Amino acid sequence: MGKSSLIKATSKKKGQLKKSEKVEQKTKTLTTKPIKGKEAQKIKSPKETKAATKTGAAKELTEEKRAKYSPMRSKGDKPPVDMQRPVLIDKVMRFIAAGFVLLIMVVIGTSFSNMKKYYIKTADGAVEVWKGYFAPMGMELFLHLPEMRPPASIKPAYGKNEVFPLIFYYYMDRADSLLSVSRVPDFEKIKTYLDIALSYATTETLHNATIRRLNNIDLMLLLYKAEVAAGKGTMAALKNAKRYLEKAASLKLDQAQTKMVNLKIETISNLIAALKAKKNKGAKKPGKKK
């Protein structure tokens, strides 16, 4: 009994060992069996996986470049909306800048135009002339002319050629009023008025008329000074009188005035000669002996 049980136990162990060996052989055959079809495509070698990663990275780079750089378009193609916005903004800014420049030009032109305008106002028996300054609107006092008669109808605005003749005749009238006095005229003040009138002479006719008046005033003033000096009767005074007359002769005179001045010079020269002769005669006369 003992031997038979041992033999059975050993035989069982051998059978189990054989079964385990058969299972191992089957598993080896299963693991070493080649994979075919779609399953073989899914499993890749390390080289293939490395190449796949490189191609994927290259694709990502190309996509980034495409996103960064816009593709070439033909002339007929419209750019995307986001690319049109900078162009529209640039155009709007140009229009705004052009409008601003145009506005400045209009303001400057209006300011220059306002500078050429004159306005007449009446105030307390006088006439005031106002002038526009460099601004689109506004004016400042230019002249205050007392005792001047205002125009029959005052216009909203005047030009230079309309206002200056009014000022010219105002000062000419002031000069004439000083000549009509009974006493000796104030020639210096008359000349002052005539000089002011000359600055407002807008035509050649008015300019020449004022020059003639100034010459006449200068002539009258020099003749008056010569007459006063000659009335003193001294040699020095007579020489001064002759000097005044010679200065009068240098003015722009007409024929009659030139003749008159030359006669006065001749008269003063004769007086000087007579006075010299008288002095010489007195010097030669011998004194009385005691």
Side-chain angles (χ1 to χ4, degrees), residues 134-161:
F134 187 74
M137 296 179 67
M139 53 185 167
E140 58 187 353
L141 183 62
F142 182 67
L143 278 176
H144 180 81
L145 307 173
E147 300 178 8
M148 179 182 178
R149 290 182 180 179
S153 59
I154 298 176
K155 296 167 62 176
Y158 292 84
K160 179 180 177 180
N161 292 331

PDB file of all heavy atoms in Angstrom, residues 134-161:
ATOM      1  N   PHE A 134      -6.730 141.852 -36.834  1.00  0.00           N
ATOM      2  CA  PHE A 134      -6.491 140.515 -37.392  1.00  0.00           C
ATOM      3  C   PHE A 134      -7.260 139.470 -36.589  1.00  0.00           C
ATOM      4  O   PHE A 134      -6.754 138.865 -35.649  1.00  0.00           O
ATOM      5  CB  PHE A 134      -4.996 140.194 -37.389  1.00  0.00           C
ATOM      6  CG  PHE A 134      -4.655 138.904 -38.100  1.00  0.00           C
ATOM      7  CD1 PHE A 134      -4.694 138.830 -39.478  1.00  0.00           C
ATOM      8  CD2 PHE A 134      -4.316 137.766 -37.390  1.00  0.00           C
ATOM      9  CE1 PHE A 134      -4.389 137.652 -40.132  1.00  0.00           C
ATOM     10  CE2 PHE A 134      -4.008 136.583 -38.033  1.00  0.00           C
ATOM     11  CZ  PHE A 134      -4.047 136.532 -39.407  1.00  0.00           C
ATOM     12  N   ALA A 135      -8.494 139.309 -36.975  1.00  0.00           N
ATOM     13  CA  ALA A 135      -9.387 138.320 -36.367  1.00  0.00           C
ATOM     14  C   ALA A 135     -10.605 138.218 -37.276  1.00  0.00           C
ATOM     15  O   ALA A 135     -10.892 139.139 -38.051  1.00  0.00           O
ATOM     16  CB  ALA A 135      -9.786 138.736 -34.956  1.00  0.00           C
ATOM     17  N   PRO A 136     -11.318 137.112 -37.215  1.00  0.00           N
ATOM     18  CA  PRO A 136     -12.518 137.012 -38.060  1.00  0.00           C
ATOM     19  C   PRO A 136     -13.528 138.121 -37.793  1.00  0.00           C
ATOM     20  O   PRO A 136     -14.240 138.550 -38.692  1.00  0.00           O
ATOM     21  CB  PRO A 136     -13.085 135.637 -37.691  1.00  0.00           C
ATOM     22  CG  PRO A 136     -11.913 134.860 -37.210  1.00  0.00           C
ATOM     23  CD  PRO A 136     -11.038 135.845 -36.517  1.00  0.00           C
ATOM     24  N   MET A 137     -13.588 138.595 -36.547  1.00  0.00           N
ATOM     25  CA  MET A 137     -14.491 139.683 -36.182  1.00  0.00           C
ATOM     26  C   MET A 137     -13.790 140.578 -35.168  1.00  0.00           C
ATOM     27  O   MET A 137     -12.818 140.179 -34.541  1.00  0.00           O
ATOM     28  CB  MET A 137     -15.793 139.133 -35.586  1.00  0.00           C
ATOM     29  CG  MET A 137     -16.627 138.306 -36.547  1.00  0.00           C
ATOM     30  SD  MET A 137     -18.115 137.664 -35.772  1.00  0.00           S
ATOM     31  CE  MET A 137     -19.017 139.184 -35.479  1.00  0.00           C
ATOM     32  N   GLY A 138     -14.308 141.816 -35.031  1.00  0.00           N
ATOM     33  CA  GLY A 138     -13.755 142.733 -34.042  1.00  0.00           C
ATOM     34  C   GLY A 138     -13.101 143.936 -34.689  1.00  0.00           C
ATOM     35  O   GLY A 138     -12.692 143.894 -35.853  1.00  0.00           O
ATOM     36  N   MET A 139     -13.024 145.049 -33.925  1.00  0.00           N
ATOM     37  CA  MET A 139     -12.428 146.279 -34.432  1.00  0.00           C
ATOM     38  C   MET A 139     -11.861 147.087 -33.271  1.00  0.00           C
ATOM     39  O   MET A 139     -12.165 146.828 -32.106  1.00  0.00           O
ATOM     40  CB  MET A 139     -13.469 147.101 -35.198  1.00  0.00           C
ATOM     41  CG  MET A 139     -14.740 147.373 -34.440  1.00  0.00           C
ATOM     42  SD  MET A 139     -15.957 148.211 -35.453  1.00  0.00           S
ATOM     43  CE  MET A 139     -17.433 148.029 -34.437  1.00  0.00           C
ATOM     44  N   GLU A 140     -11.034 148.080 -33.630  1.00  0.00           N
ATOM     45  CA  GLU A 140     -10.416 148.956 -32.652  1.00  0.00           C
ATOM     46  C   GLU A 140     -10.452 150.385 -33.171  1.00  0.00           C
ATOM     47  O   GLU A 140     -10.541 150.623 -34.378  1.00  0.00           O
ATOM     48  CB  GLU A 140      -8.974 148.522 -32.384  1.00  0.00           C
ATOM     49  CG  GLU A 140      -8.103 148.496 -33.620  1.00  0.00           C
ATOM     50  CD  GLU A 140      -6.741 147.900 -33.356  1.00  0.00           C
ATOM     51  OE1 GLU A 140      -6.435 147.631 -32.181  1.00  0.00           O
ATOM     52  OE2 GLU A 140      -5.985 147.701 -34.328  1.00  0.00           O
ATOM     53  N   LEU A 141     -10.367 151.348 -32.245  1.00  0.00           N
ATOM     54  CA  LEU A 141     -10.440 152.757 -32.620  1.00  0.00           C
ATOM     55  C   LEU A 141      -9.209 153.147 -33.428  1.00  0.00           C
ATOM     56  O   LEU A 141      -8.076 152.923 -33.005  1.00  0.00           O
ATOM     57  CB  LEU A 141     -10.553 153.631 -31.367  1.00  0.00           C
ATOM     58  CG  LEU A 141     -10.704 155.135 -31.610  1.00  0.00           C
ATOM     59  CD1 LEU A 141     -11.990 155.437 -32.372  1.00  0.00           C
ATOM     60  CD2 LEU A 141     -10.680 155.891 -30.285  1.00  0.00           C
ATOM     61  N   PHE A 142      -9.450 153.748 -34.579  1.00  0.00           N
ATOM     62  CA  PHE A 142      -8.368 154.149 -35.478  1.00  0.00           C
ATOM     63  C   PHE A 142      -8.104 155.654 -35.378  1.00  0.00           C
ATOM     64  O   PHE A 142      -6.958 156.079 -35.237  1.00  0.00           O
ATOM     65  CB  PHE A 142      -8.733 153.750 -36.910  1.00  0.00           C
ATOM     66  CG  PHE A 142      -7.683 154.053 -37.929  1.00  0.00           C
ATOM     67  CD1 PHE A 142      -6.472 153.395 -37.919  1.00  0.00           C
ATOM     68  CD2 PHE A 142      -7.904 155.012 -38.912  1.00  0.00           C
ATOM     69  CE1 PHE A 142      -5.489 153.683 -38.865  1.00  0.00           C
ATOM     70  CE2 PHE A 142      -6.935 155.299 -39.861  1.00  0.00           C
ATOM     71  CZ  PHE A 142      -5.730 154.634 -39.837  1.00  0.00           C
ATOM     72  N   LEU A 143      -9.150 156.464 -35.445  1.00  0.00           N
ATOM     73  CA  LEU A 143      -9.004 157.918 -35.356  1.00  0.00           C
ATOM     74  C   LEU A 143     -10.237 158.521 -34.694  1.00  0.00           C
ATOM     75  O   LEU A 143     -11.360 158.049 -34.902  1.00  0.00           O
ATOM     76  CB  LEU A 143      -8.839 158.543 -36.748  1.00  0.00           C
ATOM     77  CG  LEU A 143      -7.445 158.535 -37.388  1.00  0.00           C
ATOM     78  CD1 LEU A 143      -7.533 159.111 -38.787  1.00  0.00           C
ATOM     79  CD2 LEU A 143      -6.444 159.309 -36.557  1.00  0.00           C
ATOM     80  N   HIS A 144      -9.990 159.572 -33.923  1.00  0.00           N
ATOM     81  CA  HIS A 144     -11.074 160.375 -33.349  1.00  0.00           C
ATOM     82  C   HIS A 144     -10.971 161.765 -33.969  1.00  0.00           C
ATOM     83  O   HIS A 144      -9.969 162.462 -33.785  1.00  0.00           O
ATOM     84  CB  HIS A 144     -10.939 160.441 -31.828  1.00  0.00           C
ATOM     85  CG  HIS A 144     -12.009 161.252 -31.176  1.00  0.00           C
ATOM     86  ND1 HIS A 144     -13.274 160.756 -30.920  1.00  0.00           N
ATOM     87  CD2 HIS A 144     -12.008 162.538 -30.730  1.00  0.00           C
ATOM     88  CE1 HIS A 144     -14.006 161.697 -30.345  1.00  0.00           C
ATOM     89  NE2 HIS A 144     -13.261 162.784 -30.208  1.00  0.00           N
ATOM     90  N   LEU A 145     -11.984 162.169 -34.723  1.00  0.00           N
ATOM     91  CA  LEU A 145     -11.945 163.417 -35.485  1.00  0.00           C
ATOM     92  C   LEU A 145     -12.995 164.381 -34.930  1.00  0.00           C
ATOM     93  O   LEU A 145     -14.175 164.318 -35.303  1.00  0.00           O
ATOM     94  CB  LEU A 145     -12.211 163.135 -36.969  1.00  0.00           C
ATOM     95  CG  LEU A 145     -11.307 162.066 -37.612  1.00  0.00           C
ATOM     96  CD1 LEU A 145     -11.768 161.757 -39.018  1.00  0.00           C
ATOM     97  CD2 LEU A 145      -9.850 162.511 -37.597  1.00  0.00           C
ATOM     98  N   PRO A 146     -12.592 165.268 -34.028  1.00  0.00           N
ATOM     99  CA  PRO A 146     -13.563 166.213 -33.453  1.00  0.00           C
ATOM    100  C   PRO A 146     -14.015 167.255 -34.477  1.00  0.00           C
ATOM    101  O   PRO A 146     -13.269 167.622 -35.391  1.00  0.00           O
ATOM    102  CB  PRO A 146     -12.783 166.856 -32.298  1.00  0.00           C
ATOM    103  CG  PRO A 146     -11.348 166.662 -32.637  1.00  0.00           C
ATOM    104  CD  PRO A 146     -11.251 165.411 -33.439  1.00  0.00           C
ATOM    105  N   GLU A 147     -15.252 167.694 -34.305  1.00  0.00           N
ATOM    106  CA  GLU A 147     -15.858 168.743 -35.143  1.00  0.00           C
ATOM    107  C   GLU A 147     -15.944 168.345 -36.615  1.00  0.00           C
ATOM    108  O   GLU A 147     -15.957 169.206 -37.498  1.00  0.00           O
ATOM    109  CB  GLU A 147     -15.084 170.065 -35.007  1.00  0.00           C
ATOM    110  CG  GLU A 147     -15.046 170.608 -33.587  1.00  0.00           C
ATOM    111  CD  GLU A 147     -14.243 171.892 -33.483  1.00  0.00           C
ATOM    112  OE1 GLU A 147     -13.857 172.430 -34.547  1.00  0.00           O
ATOM    113  OE2 GLU A 147     -13.992 172.352 -32.361  1.00  0.00           O
ATOM    114  N   MET A 148     -16.000 167.088 -36.871  1.00  0.00           N
ATOM    115  CA  MET A 148     -16.145 166.634 -38.258  1.00  0.00           C
ATOM    116  C   MET A 148     -17.598 166.259 -38.519  1.00  0.00           C
ATOM    117  O   MET A 148     -18.254 165.637 -37.678  1.00  0.00           O
ATOM    118  CB  MET A 148     -15.248 165.414 -38.523  1.00  0.00           C
ATOM    119  CG  MET A 148     -15.373 164.869 -39.936  1.00  0.00           C
ATOM    120  SD  MET A 148     -14.355 163.392 -40.196  1.00  0.00           S
ATOM    121  CE  MET A 148     -14.774 162.987 -41.885  1.00  0.00           C
ATOM    122  N   ARG A 149     -18.071 166.655 -39.670  1.00  0.00           N
ATOM    123  CA  ARG A 149     -19.428 166.288 -40.056  1.00  0.00           C
ATOM    124  C   ARG A 149     -19.450 164.854 -40.569  1.00  0.00           C
ATOM    125  O   ARG A 149     -18.676 164.499 -41.460  1.00  0.00           O
ATOM    126  CB  ARG A 149     -19.940 167.224 -41.150  1.00  0.00           C
ATOM    127  CG  ARG A 149     -20.208 168.645 -40.676  1.00  0.00           C
ATOM    128  CD  ARG A 149     -20.764 169.477 -41.815  1.00  0.00           C
ATOM    129  NE  ARG A 149     -21.025 170.854 -41.391  1.00  0.00           N
ATOM    130  CZ  ARG A 149     -21.502 171.793 -42.204  1.00  0.00           C
ATOM    131  NH1 ARG A 149     -21.759 171.490 -43.480  1.00  0.00           N
ATOM    132  NH2 ARG A 149     -21.709 173.012 -41.752  1.00  0.00           N
ATOM    133  N   PRO A 150     -20.321 164.039 -40.032  1.00  0.00           N
ATOM    134  CA  PRO A 150     -20.383 162.651 -40.517  1.00  0.00           C
ATOM    135  C   PRO A 150     -21.002 162.595 -41.908  1.00  0.00           C
ATOM    136  O   PRO A 150     -21.694 163.524 -42.338  1.00  0.00           O
ATOM    137  CB  PRO A 150     -21.273 161.959 -39.482  1.00  0.00           C
ATOM    138  CG  PRO A 150     -22.125 163.044 -38.931  1.00  0.00           C
ATOM    139  CD  PRO A 150     -21.287 164.292 -38.949  1.00  0.00           C
ATOM    140  N   PRO A 151     -20.760 161.530 -42.638  1.00  0.00           N
ATOM    141  CA  PRO A 151     -21.394 161.380 -43.956  1.00  0.00           C
ATOM    142  C   PRO A 151     -22.919 161.357 -43.837  1.00  0.00           C
ATOM    143  O   PRO A 151     -23.475 161.030 -42.777  1.00  0.00           O
ATOM    144  CB  PRO A 151     -20.855 160.034 -44.454  1.00  0.00           C
ATOM    145  CG  PRO A 151     -19.624 159.787 -43.660  1.00  0.00           C
ATOM    146  CD  PRO A 151     -19.853 160.418 -42.328  1.00  0.00           C
ATOM    147  N   ALA A 152     -23.579 161.726 -44.918  1.00  0.00           N
ATOM    148  CA  ALA A 152     -25.048 161.765 -44.904  1.00  0.00           C
ATOM    149  C   ALA A 152     -25.636 160.401 -44.589  1.00  0.00           C
ATOM    150  O   ALA A 152     -26.603 160.280 -43.832  1.00  0.00           O
ATOM    151  CB  ALA A 152     -25.559 162.280 -46.254  1.00  0.00           C
ATOM    152  N   SER A 153     -25.071 159.362 -45.169  1.00  0.00           N
ATOM    153  CA  SER A 153     -25.515 157.987 -44.887  1.00  0.00           C
ATOM    154  C   SER A 153     -24.285 157.145 -44.551  1.00  0.00           C
ATOM    155  O   SER A 153     -23.320 157.116 -45.321  1.00  0.00           O
ATOM    156  CB  SER A 153     -26.246 157.392 -46.093  1.00  0.00           C
ATOM    157  OG  SER A 153     -25.400 157.374 -47.225  1.00  0.00           O
ATOM    158  N   ILE A 154     -24.341 156.519 -43.404  1.00  0.00           N
ATOM    159  CA  ILE A 154     -23.204 155.717 -42.934  1.00  0.00           C
ATOM    160  C   ILE A 154     -23.400 154.264 -43.363  1.00  0.00           C
ATOM    161  O   ILE A 154     -24.436 153.654 -43.080  1.00  0.00           O
ATOM    162  CB  ILE A 154     -23.062 155.811 -41.405  1.00  0.00           C
ATOM    163  CG1 ILE A 154     -22.776 157.266 -41.009  1.00  0.00           C
ATOM    164  CG2 ILE A 154     -21.944 154.904 -40.913  1.00  0.00           C
ATOM    165  CD1 ILE A 154     -22.708 157.494 -39.515  1.00  0.00           C
ATOM    166  N   LYS A 155     -22.421 153.737 -44.041  1.00  0.00           N
ATOM    167  CA  LYS A 155     -22.467 152.356 -44.514  1.00  0.00           C
ATOM    168  C   LYS A 155     -22.030 151.396 -43.406  1.00  0.00           C
ATOM    169  O   LYS A 155     -21.343 151.799 -42.457  1.00  0.00           O
ATOM    170  CB  LYS A 155     -21.552 152.200 -45.734  1.00  0.00           C
ATOM    171  CG  LYS A 155     -21.991 153.017 -46.940  1.00  0.00           C
ATOM    172  CD  LYS A 155     -20.905 153.089 -47.996  1.00  0.00           C
ATOM    173  CE  LYS A 155     -20.550 151.736 -48.545  1.00  0.00           C
ATOM    174  NZ  LYS A 155     -19.555 151.816 -49.639  1.00  0.00           N
ATOM    175  N   PRO A 156     -22.401 150.123 -43.520  1.00  0.00           N
ATOM    176  CA  PRO A 156     -21.969 149.153 -42.492  1.00  0.00           C
ATOM    177  C   PRO A 156     -20.456 148.997 -42.417  1.00  0.00           C
ATOM    178  O   PRO A 156     -19.904 148.786 -41.344  1.00  0.00           O
ATOM    179  CB  PRO A 156     -22.635 147.846 -42.937  1.00  0.00           C
ATOM    180  CG  PRO A 156     -23.760 148.259 -43.814  1.00  0.00           C
ATOM    181  CD  PRO A 156     -23.338 149.517 -44.484  1.00  0.00           C
ATOM    182  N   ALA A 157     -19.787 149.123 -43.549  1.00  0.00           N
ATOM    183  CA  ALA A 157     -18.325 148.991 -43.571  1.00  0.00           C
ATOM    184  C   ALA A 157     -17.789 149.769 -44.767  1.00  0.00           C
ATOM    185  O   ALA A 157     -18.487 149.975 -45.765  1.00  0.00           O
ATOM    186  CB  ALA A 157     -17.905 147.531 -43.648  1.00  0.00           C
ATOM    187  N   TYR A 158     -16.532 150.196 -44.637  1.00  0.00           N
ATOM    188  CA  TYR A 158     -15.890 150.982 -45.680  1.00  0.00           C
ATOM    189  C   TYR A 158     -14.544 150.350 -46.030  1.00  0.00           C
ATOM    190  O   TYR A 158     -13.929 149.661 -45.205  1.00  0.00           O
ATOM    191  CB  TYR A 158     -15.648 152.423 -45.217  1.00  0.00           C
ATOM    192  CG  TYR A 158     -16.907 153.242 -45.015  1.00  0.00           C
ATOM    193  CD1 TYR A 158     -17.621 153.166 -43.824  1.00  0.00           C
ATOM    194  CD2 TYR A 158     -17.372 154.094 -46.004  1.00  0.00           C
ATOM    195  CE1 TYR A 158     -18.767 153.917 -43.626  1.00  0.00           C
ATOM    196  CE2 TYR A 158     -18.517 154.855 -45.819  1.00  0.00           C
ATOM    197  CZ  TYR A 158     -19.212 154.761 -44.626  1.00  0.00           C
ATOM    198  OH  TYR A 158     -20.348 155.503 -44.443  1.00  0.00           O
ATOM    199  N   GLY A 159     -14.102 150.656 -47.238  1.00  0.00           N
ATOM    200  CA  GLY A 159     -12.759 150.277 -47.640  1.00  0.00           C
ATOM    201  C   GLY A 159     -11.797 151.434 -47.430  1.00  0.00           C
ATOM    202  O   GLY A 159     -12.193 152.564 -47.114  1.00  0.00           O
ATOM    203  N   LYS A 160     -10.524 151.161 -47.610  1.00  0.00           N
ATOM    204  CA  LYS A 160      -9.492 152.180 -47.410  1.00  0.00           C
ATOM    205  C   LYS A 160      -9.691 153.367 -48.346  1.00  0.00           C
ATOM    206  O   LYS A 160      -9.563 154.528 -47.929  1.00  0.00           O
ATOM    207  CB  LYS A 160      -8.118 151.546 -47.637  1.00  0.00           C
ATOM    208  CG  LYS A 160      -6.954 152.498 -47.485  1.00  0.00           C
ATOM    209  CD  LYS A 160      -5.637 151.784 -47.738  1.00  0.00           C
ATOM    210  CE  LYS A 160      -4.467 152.752 -47.654  1.00  0.00           C
ATOM    211  NZ  LYS A 160      -3.172 152.071 -47.902  1.00  0.00           N
ATOM    212  N   ASN A 161     -10.003 153.099 -49.603  1.00  0.00           N
ATOM    213  CA  ASN A 161     -10.165 154.174 -50.584  1.00  0.00           C
ATOM    214  C   ASN A 161     -11.422 155.003 -50.345  1.00  0.00           C
ATOM    215  O   ASN A 161     -11.586 156.063 -50.967  1.00  0.00           O
ATOM    216  CB  ASN A 161     -10.193 153.596 -51.998  1.00  0.00           C
ATOM    217  CG  ASN A 161      -8.858 153.013 -52.405  1.00  0.00           C
ATOM    218  OD1 ASN A 161      -7.811 153.457 -51.937  1.00  0.00           O
ATOM    219  ND2 ASN A 161      -8.875 152.006 -53.264  1.00  0.00           N
TER     220      ASN A 161
END
